[in-house]
Amino acid sequence: MEESYEERGRPKDEAERRARATVTKESGGGDEPGSGRGKADMHDSLKTGGKEGGEASAHRSAADRSASAKAAAATRKRNVAGK
């Protein structure tokens, strides 16, 4: 996994950090008590990593993407104001 990050241009120390974070996420945090020990491992991020990102929006027009972004920004603004 670390080599994959390095191949994509990440510095060695960042590649190592990202690989360790991904493994920790997948394993539930190790075998310490309270760390998710005994739960089945999930490997969702290993299956989809990078392949599907942005695929849906790539087929939409710039105007559609812009309208969606404006709606999302308005929603975030409303949610922050409500807190």
Side-chain angles (χ1 to χ4, degrees), residues 3 5-6 11 13 16 27 36 38 42-44 46 49 51 56 59 61 63 72-75 78 81-82:
E3 292 83 12
Y5 283 122
E6 289 179 21
D13 58 339
E16 183 179 345
S27 67
M42 61 166 240
H43 301 288
D44 293 344
L46 295 178
K51 289 189 292 190
H59 298 292
S61 70
T75 300
R78 274 196 317 274

Side-chain angles (χ1 to χ4, degrees), residues 1-77:
M1 194 175 302
E2 183 179 340
E3 292 83 12
S4 175
Y5 283 122
E6 289 179 21
E7 288 171 6
R8 288 183 266 165
R10 297 289 172 198
K12 182 161 180 56
D13 58 339
E14 184 180 350
E16 183 179 345
R17 180 188 60 78
R18 285 183 178 212
R20 189 173 358 151
T22 303
V23 169
T24 300
K25 175 184 171 186
E26 296 296 330
S27 67
D31 291 332
E32 293 297 316
S35 65
R37 182 176 170 179
K39 293 184 181 178
D41 287 349
M42 61 166 240
H43 301 288
D44 293 344
S45 62
L46 295 178
K47 294 177 184 171
T48 60
K51 289 189 292 190
E52 298 174 1
E55 185 177 342
S57 64
H59 298 292
R60 297 166 60 201
S61 70
D64 284 344
R65 288 194 309 272
S66 179
S68 180
K70 287 177 184 176
T75 300
R76 286 192 299 272
K77 188 174 182 180

